[in-house]
Each structure stands twice: as C-alpha cells, then as structure tokens.
C-alpha cells in the first residue's frame, strides 16, 4: 500500500486478456484429438512419425524403419499399425514390403488445438482467490 497526500491507496487486481479466448473443443473434435494423442503417446511412435516424415521422398519402407529400432518385427509392425489406424500414417504394399507416408490432416488438427490462441493453448489470466467468487 502506498501513501499519497496522506491517503492510503489499496491495490486493485486487474485482469487483462491479450486475446479472445478460443472456443471450447466440441465432443467430436475432442474424440478425434484424443485418438491422435493416444496414438502418439509412445516414444517409438513419435520417432517413427519423424523418420517417415523426413525420409527421402516423404516415404519410408518398413525395412528401412526396422534398421532404426532394436525390437522384434511384430513389435515394430504393431506401432506402425497404431499410427495407420489413427490416420497419421498411410501404408502402401509394394511386393513384400510396406511403404509409409505421413497424412498431414491429423497433424494439422493437433496443430490447430495446440497453437497459441488455440483451445488447448489459450491461457487466460488467472484470477486470485478473492476474484473467483464462491462458486466451487
């Protein structure tokens, strides 16, 4: 508290919003996002996505991916199947090998949720306990 001309000034909390809060995620978008997050919730799958995305020509053969991981073929196939089922990767059979490419739309969906100002990244100013009221 500061004193000015003999008067005591009490600070008043001020809340400034830098941007309009984003809309709450609707149930269908939440379901889609949860499916994508679940598919990417494993470090092997995140690495697989990165390897496929940055492979020459934007596609990778199973045989090339297998060289990057010290795991049995069925385990690696399972991780790739999860990414394909979630719609993050696309698989094309060529003879005896499978080739994988990244599908951009699911990643764009996650980006729209997580970018600054998006519904999962928007950060409105926190209110102090006195400003919150007694709702809960």
């Amino acid at each position: 508290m500061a004193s000015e001309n003999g008067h005591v000034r009490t600070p008043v909390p001020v809340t400034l919003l830098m941007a309009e809060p984003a809309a709450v995620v609707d149930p269908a978008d939440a379901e889609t996002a949860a499916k994508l997050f679940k598919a990417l919730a494993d470090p092997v799958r995140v690495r697989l996505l990165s390897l496929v995305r940055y492979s020459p020509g934007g596609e990778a053969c199973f045989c090339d991916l297998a060289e990057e991981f010290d795991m049995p073929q069925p385990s690696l196939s399972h991780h790739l199947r999860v990414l394909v089922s979630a719609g993050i990767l696309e698989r094309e059979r060529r003879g005896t090998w499978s080739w994988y490419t990244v599908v951009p739309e699911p990643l764009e969906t996650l980006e729209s949720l997580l970018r600054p100002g998006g519904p999962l990244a928007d950060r409105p100013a926190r209110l102090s306990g006195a400003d919150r009221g007694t709702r809960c």
Side-chain angles (χ1 to χ4, degrees):
M1 288 193 261
S3 176
E4 188 176 315
N5 297 335
H7 299 283
V8 176
R9 294 185 340 189
T10 305
V12 177
V14 176
T15 302
L16 299 175
L17 294 177
M18 300 306 286
E20 287 289 318
V24 173
V25 178
D26 68 53
D29 289 341
E31 189 74 30
T32 299
K35 180 180 174 184
L36 296 171
F37 283 127
K38 184 176 180 180
L40 291 169
D42 185 287
V44 170
R45 294 194 284 265
V46 171
R47 189 149 180 258
L48 280 167
L49 174 60
S50 177
L51 287 166
V52 172
R53 185 176 188 153
Y54 293 104
S55 291
E59 62 180 8
C61 178
F62 180 89
C63 59
D64 295 329
L65 296 170
E67 291 177 5
E68 297 291 326
F69 296 90
D70 184 25
M71 69 174 55
Q73 179 271 333
S75 297
L76 186 59
S77 291
H78 165 74
H79 288 294
L80 286 162
R81 191 169 33 257
V82 169
L83 292 170
V84 169
S85 294
I88 295 169
L89 293 182
E90 214 167 54
R91 183 183 85 166
E92 179 185 337
R93 296 281 296 178
R94 296 183 197 160
T96 59
W97 295 109
S98 292
W99 288 78
Y100 296 90
T101 55
V102 174
V103 180
E105 291 82 10
L107 300 178
E108 291 166 0
T109 296
L110 292 179
E111 189 270 335
S112 70
L113 293 171
L114 296 171
R115 73 172 169 244
L120 299 182
D122 195 25
R123 292 188 191 102
R126 290 183 172 227
L127 299 175
S128 69
D131 296 330
R132 289 185 202 172
T134 57
R135 282 189 62 197
C136 298

